[in-house]
């Protein structure tokens, strides 16, 4: 047996057993969920035949579709704002020396570690007592509190990712741009930002996922007119299971797998470009 | 070489860069939490008003046996889930770190994919399997065994937390195993140690920073989890977050809820500080 084989633990049976059990544990429930979304039966988990009924019903469930629309709009807005604020924060903390640098860096890490429930109640109190959001605003504006809350906890994640990428930036290229007559903003936009591109893609994907996934903070911030997808699914699960949840979950699962595959592909392409 | 620019050399760009994120942080994160902190020292006056009276009564109430028991139970449930995550996660991370490159990528994607999937969908999927008429009980029934009440128990909550947090345990352990100097393992094997002895006496100590990080990344969100105990737990599996939610949405006792929220936050910081201490001690010699 050669040395690499000797260390290839994934080929030894005890570890194969663990891998197989963990794989089953992680994926069996999701597979059952997908299978049940095609099951022609309302209550039991016994297979009664193939149907697309639940998917057809999804099209008629306007509340669920509206919730999905809200979630996507919130995720898009929160991603844009988080990308902007996270990148600004990362560049500011990387570029400048100022009194309180350590304090601000540590403070920006707080939203990552503070328990969601604490942020949730903070947002509830804030929008109930300190900054009441006007009722009856037109659609995207009515989502304001949720977008604000999401950006507050997501932009630090983006800042961490962008900051890591800045470490590999060669400052001499920026100095060269300045020597050739570019102003500080031109140099930033034309030299620093292109270098950040992979981290901006990664940050956007993470921001979108975090926003779309968030239940607890949204649960405390959302009003009766601003139900998001997770909040809607929560109430459906809480008050009686319907097979429509299986169907909509399957749609979202397929979307997730497709997006993940796309992200991996983009990363692989970026990797090829970096190593000619 | 100090690469940073002093902010006084470019106050305009400095303010333009740091201003927006710092402003957002102060207004929409620090200020709301400060209000929660103020409320935790408050008293209910009438139906809707809260007077910030500087009382410690809310904290005193949080230390009553009923609530102390809930804190302890939350610790026990989160601790048990973290322990199971470590038992499952370490061998998985070990297998991934030492697999052939193609297999490694595949396994990493398989571990990461649930992380990108909606938390609510994952929890619901697990509930589908555990229900009385779910797959597990269906299999038991086919074997002629009576159904087990799996859902709405403390065990279900622990299983749900493991299901949701396992990637957080695996990835940091994998990262530290990936960086490990493999010649040390080969040396241990060459000198006659068995694989098992090598894992316990060479690999495990070297991977300790990653294991600690994985434990923390699992324990902290598990301790404050709301959704899993709410959906999968029984009447006596309430964790801190569920009690906090009740104060705000049903019991309408905001000052007490605020005090509980801050206690949970202090516990989180305590766990972080403990890990920092561990790491610091290791770095010293």
């Amino acid at each position: 047996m050669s040395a690499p084989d000797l260390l290839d633990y994934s080929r030894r049976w005890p570890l194969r057993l663990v891998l197989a059990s963990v794989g089953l544990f992680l994926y069996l429930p999701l597979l059952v969920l997908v299978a049940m979304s095609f099951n022609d039966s309302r209550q039991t988990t016994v297979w009664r035949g193939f149907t697309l009924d639940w998917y057809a019903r999804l099209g008629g469930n306007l509340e669920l579709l509206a919730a999905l629309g809200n979630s996507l709009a919130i995720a898009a807005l929160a991603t844009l704002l988080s990308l902007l604020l996270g990148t600004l924060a990362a560049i500011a903390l990387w570029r400048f020396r100022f009194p309180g640098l350590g304090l601000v860096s540590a403070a920006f890490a707080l939203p990552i570690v503070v328990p969601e429930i604490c942020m949730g109640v903070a947002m509830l109190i804030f929008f109930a007592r300190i900054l009441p959001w006007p009722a009856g605003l037109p659609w995207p504006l009515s989502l304001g509190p949720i977008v604000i809350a999401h950006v507050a906890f997501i932009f630090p994640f983006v800042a961490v990712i962008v900051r890591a990428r800045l470490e590999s930036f060669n400052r001499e290229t920026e100095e060269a741009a300045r020597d050739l007559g570019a102003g500080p903003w031109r140099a930033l936009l034309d030299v620093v930002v292109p270098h950040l591109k992979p981290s901006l893609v990664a940050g956007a994907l993470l921001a979108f996922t975090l926003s779309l996934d968030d239940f607890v903070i949204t649960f405390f911030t959302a009003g009766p007119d601003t139900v998001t997808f997770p909040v809607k699914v929560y109430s459906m699960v809480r008050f009686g299971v319907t097979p429509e949840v299986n169907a909509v979950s399957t749609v979202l699962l397929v979307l997730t797998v497709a997006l993940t595959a796309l992200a991996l592909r983009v990363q692989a392409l970026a990797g090829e470009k970096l190593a000619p | 070489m100090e690469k940073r620019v002093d902010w006084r050399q470019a106050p305009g760009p400095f303010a333009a860069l740091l201003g927006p994120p710092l402003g957002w942080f102060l207004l929409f994160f620090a200020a709301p939490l400060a209000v929660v902190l103020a409320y935790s020292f408050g008293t209910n006056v009438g139906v809707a008003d809260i007077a910030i009276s500087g009382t410690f009564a809310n904290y005193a109430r949080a230390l009553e046996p009923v609530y102390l028991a809930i804190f302890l139970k939350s610790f026990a449930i989160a601790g048990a889930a973290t322990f199971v995550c470590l038992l499952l996660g370490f061998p998985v991370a070990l297998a991934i770190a030492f697999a052939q490159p193609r297999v490694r990528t595949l396994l990493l994607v398989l571990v990461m994919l649930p992380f990108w999937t909606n938390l609510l969908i994952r929890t619901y999927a697990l509930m589908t399997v555990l229900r009385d008429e779910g797959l597990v009980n269906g299999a038991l029934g086919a074997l002629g065994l009576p159904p087990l009440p799996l859902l709405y128990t403390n065990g279900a909550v622990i299983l749900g937390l493991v299901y949701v947090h396992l990637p957080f345990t695996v990835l940091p352990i994998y990262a530290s195993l990936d960086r490990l100097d493999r010649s040390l393992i080969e040396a241990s094997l060459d000198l006659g140690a068995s694989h098992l002895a090598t894992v316990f006496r060479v690999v495990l100590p070297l991977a300790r920073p990653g294991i600690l990080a994985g434990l923390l990344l699992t324990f902290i969100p598990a301790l404050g989890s709301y959704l899993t105990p709410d959906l999968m737990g029984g009447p006596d599996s309430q964790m801190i977050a569920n009690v906090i939610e009740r104060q705000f949405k049903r019991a309408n006792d905001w000052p007490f809820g605020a005090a509980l929220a801050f206690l949970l936050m202090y516990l989180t910081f305590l766990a972080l500080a403990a890990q920092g201490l561990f790491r610091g001690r290791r770095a010293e010699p």
Side-chain angles (χ1 to χ4, degrees):
Chain A
M1 210 163 27
S2 67
D5 267 359
L6 193 68
L7 289 180
D8 189 351
Y9 288 112
S10 65
R11 291 190 182 188
R12 295 178 169 266
W13 72 264
L15 278 180
R16 285 207 158 173
L17 194 69
V18 175
L19 275 181
S21 335
V22 169
L24 203 67
F25 172 56
L26 286 182
Y27 284 94
L28 187 71
L30 294 174
L31 291 176
V32 170
L33 184 82
V34 171
M36 286 307 139
S37 76
F38 297 107
N39 188 15
D40 192 8
S41 155
R42 189 159 186 93
Q43 274 302 317
T44 63
T45 36
V46 178
W47 185 257
R48 288 259 174 80
F50 182 86
T51 181
L52 288 175
D53 235 27
W54 308 119
Y55 290 90
R57 280 200 199 192
L58 272 190
N61 192 335
L62 293 181
E63 278 179 31
L64 191 61
L65 290 180
L68 195 58
N70 281 344
S71 274
L72 291 173
I74 291 165
L77 288 170
T79 301
L80 274 178
L81 282 167
S82 301
L83 218 49
L84 180 71
L85 293 177
T87 309
L88 290 178
I91 296 178
L93 294 178
W94 163 74
R95 165 64 52 87
F96 291 103
R97 180 169 11 104
F98 59 96
L101 171 67
L103 192 69
V104 174
S105 301
F108 280 171
L110 274 181
I112 298 178
V113 295
V114 161
E116 280 190 304
I117 184 86
C118 302
M119 252 197 98
V121 300
M123 289 298 162
L124 174 77
I125 296 181
F126 186 71
F127 285 111
R129 296 285 162 89
I130 311 296
L131 183 78
W133 202 254
L137 285 177
W139 176 61
L141 289 178
S142 58
L143 304 174
I146 305 181
V147 174
I148 287 174
H150 281 196
V151 172
F153 88 90
I154 292 171
F155 93 79
F157 284 94
V158 178
V160 168
I161 294 176
V162 173
R163 184 64 210 272
R165 177 77 186 164
L166 278 168
E167 292 302 327
S168 67
F169 179 71
N170 182 357
R171 272 164 208 260
E172 283 164 14
T173 56
E174 194 191 2
E175 280 157 24
R178 295 296 304 275
D179 288 346
L180 292 170
W185 293 113
R186 257 282 55 95
L188 194 68
L189 277 179
D190 289 355
V191 181
V192 181
V193 171
H195 175 78
L196 294 180
K197 217 190 239 164
S199 66
L200 295 181
V201 173
L205 275 170
L206 183 65
F208 198 83
T209 312
L210 286 173
S211 170
L212 205 59
D213 205 29
D214 178 71
F215 169 74
V216 173
I217 295 169
T218 313
F219 186 53
F220 282 94
T221 319
D225 305 325
T226 53
V227 172
T228 66
F229 178 75
V231 174
K232 180 70 192 161
V233 172
Y234 171 79
S235 63
M236 286 170 87
V237 172
R238 197 105 181 94
F239 304 107
V241 183
T242 72
E244 280 155 291
V245 178
N246 294 335
V248 75
S249 301
T250 304
V251 173
L252 228 72
L253 275 177
V254 171
L255 273 177
T256 309
V257 173
L259 268 178
T260 309
L262 187 76
L264 287 173
R265 189 89 204 107
V266 168
Q267 267 184 342
L269 283 178
E272 274 165 30
K273 244 186 243 167
L274 284 177
Chain B
M1 191 178 74
E2 172 69 25
K3 286 178 181 169
R4 290 175 195 278
V5 180
D6 193 278
W7 72 280
R8 276 165 297 195
Q9 285 175 18
F14 171 69
L17 285 167
L18 190 62
L22 190 61
W24 199 285
F25 172 83
L26 291 175
L27 189 59
F28 298 128
F29 182 81
L33 279 178
V35 176
V36 179
L37 184 63
Y39 273 21
S40 75
F41 297 105
T43 332
N44 285 306
V45 183
V47 185
D49 273 329
I50 291 160
I52 313 296
S53 50
T55 173
F56 279 91
N58 299 308
Y59 288 97
R61 195 175 148 206
L63 295 178
E64 282 173 12
V66 191
Y67 297 104
L68 216 51
I70 285 173
F71 273 100
L72 287 177
K73 173 166 250 172
S74 303
F75 257 91
I77 290 179
T82 308
F83 182 68
V84 176
C85 274
L86 179 66
L87 284 187
L88 293 175
F90 183 78
V92 170
L94 191 69
I96 297 177
F98 291 100
Q100 306 295 326
R102 288 192 69 90
V103 182
R104 187 190 314 171
T105 312
L106 178 74
L107 289 176
L108 271 179
V109 170
L110 284 177
V111 169
M112 282 296 284
L113 201 58
F115 168 75
W116 295 98
T117 311
N118 196 291
L119 170 69
L120 214 91
I121 293 181
R122 278 183 291 157
T123 307
Y124 171 67
L126 192 61
M127 289 170 71
T128 312
V129 177
L130 295 181
R131 249 185 292 143
D132 278 354
E133 61 274 14
L135 191 78
V136 175
N137 273 318
L140 286 178
L143 294 171
L145 294 168
L148 283 173
L150 296 170
L151 207 51
Y152 311 122
T153 58
N154 289 340
V157 177
I158 293 173
L159 200 67
L161 291 175
V162 171
Y163 190 64
V164 169
H165 293 109
L166 195 57
F168 294 114
T169 326
V170 172
L171 293 175
I173 300 180
Y174 160 75
S176 72
L177 288 176
D178 196 43
R179 282 196 300 266
L180 198 125
D181 182 358
R182 286 174 195 210
S183 58
L184 293 173
I185 301 173
E186 279 160 21
S188 163
L189 295 173
D190 281 350
L191 291 171
S194 69
H195 273 285
L196 211 57
T198 304
V199 164
F200 277 103
R201 303 192 44 188
V202 179
V203 179
L204 215 55
L206 287 172
R208 219 176 71 169
I211 293 174
L212 275 176
L215 290 179
L216 200 71
L217 275 177
T218 312
F219 183 75
I220 286 183
L223 183 67
S225 63
Y226 168 80
L227 194 65
T228 312
D230 183 62
L231 285 178
M232 301 185 72
D236 70 330
S237 347
Q238 299 292 300
M239 290 172 71
I240 312 168
N242 306 98
V243 180
I244 295 174
E245 187 262 357
R246 211 184 307 142
Q247 304 312 317
F248 280 92
K249 293 218 156 175
R250 272 162 282 182
N252 219 8
D253 191 348
W254 289 17
F256 182 50
L260 288 174
F262 257 83
L263 285 175
L264 173 61
M265 218 145 70
Y266 294 143
L267 286 175
T268 306
F269 292 145
L270 216 62
L272 280 169
Q275 195 230 12
L277 216 63
F278 259 112
R279 258 209 317 235
R281 206 178 285 166
R282 253 186 77 80
E284 259 170 43

